[in-house]
């Protein structure tokens, strides 16, 4: 079948929803959040609902096309787009239905966290999401999902009640604890390996509308004093508190006083999801460990907290290469290594957040969902961010060297939603899931996607495809 005939088959079913290189919408539709990614798919199917997704999946399978699935387009490796193949783009699918009595929400696969928060907060409710509102609920939840509610209510995927998903055979299935429960186990952490999720049903929790946020930015020179205080503080903090220590430089923008712009800092940030008064009391110590250069703390709407990082991580404006590693602990030697790294960042835009875990997110066992072991108390994320493409190699090399060096303090496990470009292939994926869960994921992949149609992700290799490179287009 020629490319032209194939297109007409696809277009006869999907009409103007199919965007090709000659279409005026093509460049906007192939752009993703990471400015480094510049891929040219053959077709982008802008889906409106389950029927479009089923048509696109069947077409891709029959014609053995490389497939990319797009939710919010935030994956750092740019896995929402591919060269030459077919993109199943869910970004037009924005339906959100809140049930305030049952405290649940069903949201389609193109929804972002900002959009979901807006609707759920109208009822004083929230689902645990990420810390940047423009990120898609889809990729984030399927990979786990850590945010400001993680210690009180767990990972995003822990709050899933069910999904509707189109698997590689084109079947639309519901997966939940009682229906296709093996698939439900796999999609909670197993990423986009098993199909295209049409909609997610989440458990909601009462949050806000106002909460206390602490954001004390200390000069980097004070890090050796204030970060050990943070470490002691968070260990004793209630589960309402989710916190990070973020090594960064104050952005050179009007929002910050001129004398602070560009200053290297460590930001002790936290959100308390209980009452504002309780939150103010609980988070006050974070603001008093030294003399903050800037203190952004205050009681504010939960939706505002969810957007605080947005202006500093704009879509397309920067090149991004982010990698992560779980830390065995945070003793003074580990801290010293992070502080030295913070001092040597090649780009002032680069962030080094240390995420504090624990609480509800650590309660499920490693076997309860594909996500796997949650026992690490800290996650180091190396969020390299820069603007000049000429600096690509320098920043990626620095990130990888630091990541390799930090393995001294880690079991080697990581968070697959912050996995760089996944260059380490199967070794990386296996390190993240652990041996037992990985074996179980392979069995599920054999059952639901034996030909590896969905492979532009943190790929679980089905047994039949084990000899093939994971990201090779089959034409
Ligand atoms: P996409 O690039 O659209 O999708 C990523 C992958 O997910 C796809 O390649 C596909 O494999 C799969 N996928 C997407 N949609 C579907 C679907 N409907 N069905 C099946 N598979 C699908 N993570 C956190 O846990 N917490 C954070 O606070 C956080 N903050 C972030 C902030 C920024 C600025 C960025 C860029 C990322 C952040 N992340 C965070 C990481 C984020 O979880 C991943 O990048 C995630 O992949 C983004 O999901 P997406 O839908 O936006 O991305």
């Amino acid at each position: 079948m020629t490319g032209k005939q194939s297109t007409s088959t696809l277009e006869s079913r999907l009409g103007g929803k199919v965007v090709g290189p000659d279409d005026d919408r093509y460049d906007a539709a192939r752009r993703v959040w990471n400015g480094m990614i510049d891929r040219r798919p053959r077709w982008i199917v802008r889906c409106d609902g389950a029927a479009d997704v089923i048509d696109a999946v069947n077409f891709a399978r029959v014609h053995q096309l490389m497939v990319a699935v797009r939710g919010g387009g935030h994956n750092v490796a740019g896995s929402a787009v591919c060269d030459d193949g077919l993109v199943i783009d869910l970004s037009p699918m924005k339906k959100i239905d809140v049930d305030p009595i049952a405290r649940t929400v069903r949201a389609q696969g193109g929804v972002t966290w900002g959009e979901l928060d807006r609707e759920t907060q109208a009822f004083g409710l929230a689902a645990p999401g990420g810390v940047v509102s423009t990120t898609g609920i889809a990729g984030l939840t399927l990979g786990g999902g850590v945010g400001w509610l993680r210690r009180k209510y767990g990972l995003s995927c822990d709050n899933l009640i069910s999904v509707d998903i189109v698997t590689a055979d084109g079947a639309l299935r519901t997966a939940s604890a009682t229906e296709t429960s093996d698939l439900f186990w796999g999609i909670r952490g197993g990423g986009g390996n098993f199909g295209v999720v049409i909609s997610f049903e989440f458990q909601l929790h009462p949050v806000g509308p106002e909460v206390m946020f602490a954001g004390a930015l200390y000069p980097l020179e004070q890090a050796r004093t204030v970060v050990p205080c943070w470490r002691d503080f968070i260990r004793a903090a209630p589960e309402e508190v989710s916190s990070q220590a973020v090594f960064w430089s104050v952005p050179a923008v009007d929002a910050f006083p001129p004398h602070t712009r560009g200053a290297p800092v460590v930001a002790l940030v936290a959100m308390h999801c209980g009452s504002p008064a309780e939150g103010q009391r609980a988070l006050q110590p974070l603001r008093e460990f030294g003399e903050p250069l800037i203190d952004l703390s205050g009681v504010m709407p939960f939706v505002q907290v969810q957007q605080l990082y947005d202006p500093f991580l704009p879509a397309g404006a920067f090149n991004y290469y982010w990698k992560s590693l779980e830390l065995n602990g945070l003793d003074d030697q580990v801290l010293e290594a992070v502080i030295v790294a913070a001092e040597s960042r090649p780009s002032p835009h680069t962030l080094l957040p240390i995420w504090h875990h624990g609480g509800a997110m650590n309660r499920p066992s490693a076997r309860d969902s594909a996500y796997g072991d949650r026992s690490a108390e800290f996650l180091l994320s190396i969020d390299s961010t820069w603007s000049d493409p000429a600096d690509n190699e320098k920043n990626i090399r620095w990130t990888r060297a630091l990541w390799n060096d930090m393995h001294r303090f880690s079991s080697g496990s990581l968070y697959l939603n912050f996995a760089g470009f996944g260059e380490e292939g199967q070794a990386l994926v296996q390190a993240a899931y652990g041996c037992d869960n990985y074996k179980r994921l392979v069995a599920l992949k054999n059952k639901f996607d034996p030909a590896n149609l969905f492979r532009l992700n943190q790929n679980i290799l089905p047994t039949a495809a084990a000899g093939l490179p994971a990201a090779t287009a089959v034409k």
Side-chain angles (χ1 to χ4, degrees):
M1 178 173 283
T2 66
K4 198 163 183 176
Q5 284 167 320
S6 309
T7 314
S8 64
T9 315
L10 192 62
E11 282 177 345
S12 66
R13 292 188 74 89
L14 295 169
K17 295 169 193 169
V18 182
V19 176
D22 298 331
D23 194 301
D24 288 346
R25 300 168 293 173
Y26 182 69
D27 281 330
R30 72 188 180 87
R31 206 170 293 138
V32 290
W33 175 83
N34 187 349
M36 263 180 94
I37 307 296
D38 181 19
R39 299 200 180 125
R40 302 188 68 82
R42 211 185 301 179
W43 300 294
I44 301 167
V45 180
R46 308 239 326 133
C47 299
D48 276 337
D52 294 347
V53 174
I54 291 169
D55 280 347
V57 166
N58 285 336
F59 183 82
R61 189 188 61 253
V62 168
H63 296 292
Q64 297 187 305
L65 295 168
M66 172 64 95
V67 174
V69 180
R70 181 186 183 122
H74 265 50
N75 185 274
V76 172
S79 57
V81 278
C82 54
D83 277 324
D84 201 31
L86 182 140
V87 174
I88 301 178
D89 180 2
L90 274 76
S91 56
M93 292 173 55
K94 297 288 193 189
K95 199 156 177 282
I96 301 171
D97 282 321
V98 179
D99 180 339
I101 307 296
R103 291 187 173 165
T104 61
V105 64
R106 181 168 284 283
Q108 286 188 322
V111 169
T112 62
W113 283 106
E115 292 158 349
L116 193 77
D117 289 337
R118 187 174 141 76
E119 292 300 325
T120 57
Q121 276 290 280
F123 299 93
L125 300 168
V131 301
V132 172
S133 77
T134 52
T135 314
I137 62 166
L140 184 141
T141 301
L142 295 170
V146 284
W148 293 123
L149 298 172
R150 65 188 178 278
R151 282 174 35 86
K152 181 69 178 171
Y153 298 119
L155 299 174
S156 304
C157 71
D158 298 337
N159 287 274
L160 266 183
I161 299 170
S162 71
V163 295
D164 284 343
I165 179 169
V166 177
T167 45
D169 55 359
L172 176 58
R173 303 166 196 267
T174 297
S176 69
T178 53
E179 222 173 318
T180 337
S181 57
D182 54 350
L183 184 57
F184 189 58
W185 177 88
I187 55 110
R188 288 175 294 147
N193 270 288
F194 302 107
V196 184
V197 178
I198 305 298
S199 66
F200 296 80
E201 184 189 9
F202 289 101
Q203 185 66 58
L204 298 174
H205 307 276
V207 176
E210 295 213 307
V211 292
M212 176 64 191
F213 173 81
L217 279 61
Y218 293 94
L220 188 57
E221 305 88 70
Q222 293 181 33
R224 289 176 180 84
T225 315
V226 300
V227 183
C229 296
W230 172 77
R231 182 182 56 200
D232 297 341
F233 166 83
I234 50 170
R235 283 188 167 147
E239 291 184 354
E240 280 75 13
V241 176
S242 291
S243 184
Q244 297 175 322
V246 185
F247 294 84
W248 194 32
S249 297
V250 178
V253 296
D254 289 350
F256 297 102
H259 73 281
T260 66
R261 292 179 198 157
V265 289
V266 58
L268 303 184
V269 290
M271 196 193 86
H272 184 288
C273 65
S275 80
E278 223 180 288
Q280 271 174 308
R281 267 193 309 275
L283 299 185
Q284 186 60 24
L286 287 174
R287 310 167 68 184
E288 297 174 348
F289 292 149
E291 268 192 50
L293 184 64
I294 306 171
D295 189 349
L296 304 170
S297 310
V299 172
M300 56 187 86
F302 172 68
V303 288
Q304 188 181 337
V305 176
Q306 290 288 85
Q307 296 168 14
L308 284 174
Y309 286 169
D310 292 9
F312 312 114
L313 299 164
F318 286 114
N319 294 348
Y320 299 95
Y321 183 83
W322 294 4
K323 255 183 133 53
S324 65
L325 203 57
E326 287 181 347
L327 300 174
N328 292 335
L330 196 62
D331 63 22
D332 290 346
Q333 207 193 342
V334 183
L335 259 183
E336 185 59 25
V338 179
I339 293 169
V340 169
E343 289 165 346
S344 73
R345 288 166 306 140
S347 163
H349 304 294
T350 291
L351 301 101
L352 294 179
I354 301 174
W355 295 69
H356 179 231
H357 287 170
M361 74 165 274
N362 279 26
R363 276 197 278 280
S365 83
R367 295 183 56 76
D368 285 347
S369 65
Y371 185 83
D373 181 57
R374 295 128 179 269
S375 58
E377 196 184 351
F378 296 99
L379 178 85
L380 173 67
S381 183
I382 311 169
D383 300 349
S384 283
T385 304
W386 67 99
S387 51
D388 187 348
D391 293 336
N392 287 358
E393 201 198 320
K394 179 173 72 175
N395 282 279
I396 292 174
R397 205 181 330 112
W398 180 84
T399 314
R400 293 190 61 78
L402 175 58
W403 185 73
N404 285 328
D405 181 51
M406 292 303 292
H407 273 78
R408 288 181 283 155
F409 310 117
S410 171
S411 66
S413 186
L414 70 150
Y415 179 36
L416 281 177
N417 273 344
F418 303 143
F421 293 168
E423 300 90 334
E424 300 80 1
Q426 289 305 294
L428 191 84
V429 178
Q430 289 183 27
Y433 290 119
C435 191
D436 289 348
N437 280 9
Y438 186 76
K439 278 188 200 149
R440 202 166 155 186
L441 282 163
V442 172
L444 265 186
K445 187 77 173 172
N446 289 342
K447 179 172 172 187
F448 290 104
D449 185 17
N452 210 9
L453 182 67
F454 302 109
R455 62 188 175 281
L456 264 184
N457 44 43
Q458 305 304 340
N459 197 224
I460 311 289
L461 263 189
T463 309
L468 296 173
T472 303
V474 182
K475 291 188 195 146

